[in-house]
Amino acid sequence: MENTLYSLTEQMSSIEAALEENGGELTPELEEMWQETSESLATKVDNYNALIIKLDGYSDNLAKEIKRLQALKKTTDNSLKRVKEHII
């Protein structure tokens, strides 16, 4: 099974349900499943957080570039206007 965030969450729910059925007894099998699933879940969440940080930085850089290009366009438009007025 693929380790998606959804599947890992479902696995944790299954482990919790099995614990309830066992009266709270943590068998070696359940403990191993819990350990593996919690580690995979933590890794998955860390990877998502890293992606969020990367995309947030990229978005900020794009916003700065948009502002820079808008200022450049304004300067170019003003130069064009002055050149046309000079000709007239």
Side-chain angles (χ1 to χ4, degrees):
M1 183 194 301
E2 187 178 343
N3 281 339
T4 64
L5 193 55
Y6 178 78
S7 70
L8 291 169
T9 303
E10 288 294 311
Q11 287 175 11
M12 288 301 274
S13 294
S14 296
I15 294 167
E16 290 171 5
L19 277 172
E20 287 179 18
E21 289 176 13
N22 290 344
E25 180 185 343
L26 185 62
T27 64
E29 295 85 14
L30 281 177
E31 185 174 6
E32 183 180 345
M33 285 175 54
W34 179 82
Q35 184 68 29
E36 290 173 4
T37 304
S38 64
E39 287 173 4
S40 294
L41 189 57
T43 299
K44 183 66 75 170
V45 169
D46 286 345
N47 290 340
Y48 272 110
N49 282 334
L51 179 60
I52 288 169
I53 290 168
K54 179 181 177 180
L55 291 174
D56 189 44
Y58 186 57
S59 179
D60 288 345
N61 288 339
L62 288 172
K64 289 175 186 174
E65 183 66 8
I66 288 168
K67 287 180 183 178
R68 186 188 72 80
L69 290 171
Q70 286 173 333
L72 183 60
K73 182 183 181 315
K74 184 176 180 179
T75 300
T76 303
D77 288 347
N78 287 340
S79 296
L80 179 62
K81 182 181 174 184
R82 282 192 302 276
V83 168
K84 286 181 178 180
E85 287 173 353
H86 185 68
I87 292 173
I88 295 174

